[in-house]
Amino acid sequence: MRFRLWVAAAAASALVTAISAGAPASAQKAGGVLKLSHFDSPASMSILEESTRAALQPMMGVFNNLVMYDQHIAKSSLETIVPDLATSWSWSEDGTELSFPLRQGVKWHDGKPFTAADVKCTWTC
């Protein structure tokens, strides 16, 4: 009796595994509301206007940057900076200009392409 029960359980387990393996993964739906608890109420959620952890911590996962710290290295330093929206960076010979070639094919949430004009607007608009 015990052997039959074990065989039946194994067969049921195999059947469930086979059915779930053959089914396509269901994707999340676009839109909705993201809710999270937070310790403060920052003045805005702009990472360009706020400098506190209250705004930066939740929003850094939302926005891309030209460069960022390598997330696989525990201690951030100048040596752990890696490209994000930029592909690299270089200084002019006199050290007064910093150039960032941008990744190609990047689009905003509305489908418009990301351009150097967008980067410039970050600093001047």
Side-chain angles (χ1 to χ4, degrees), residues 68-76 80 82:
M68 60 186 274
Y69 291 111
D70 187 334
Q71 303 298 296
H72 299 99
I73 300 175
K75 186 173 181 182
S76 300
T80 64
V82 294

Side-chain angles (χ1 to χ4, degrees), residues 44-52 55-57 59-60 63-67 85 108 114 118-125:
S44 77
M45 295 310 275
S46 171
I47 61 174
L48 301 174
E49 297 171 358
E50 302 296 324
S51 61
T52 65
L56 296 179
Q57 186 175 1
M59 298 314 291
M60 286 303 290
F63 296 104
N64 286 91
N65 299 284
L66 288 177
V67 295
L85 289 174
W108 288 95
F114 172 69
D118 297 316
V119 177
K120 182 180 179 188
C121 183
T122 300
W123 296 98
T124 60
C125 291

Side-chain angles (χ1 to χ4, degrees), residues 7-40:
V7 170
S13 176
L15 180 61
V16 168
T17 302
I19 291 171
S20 64
S26 59
Q28 295 179 353
K29 294 181 181 180
V33 176
L34 172 64
K35 294 181 180 181
L36 60 109
S37 61
H38 196 46
F39 64 90
D40 197 4

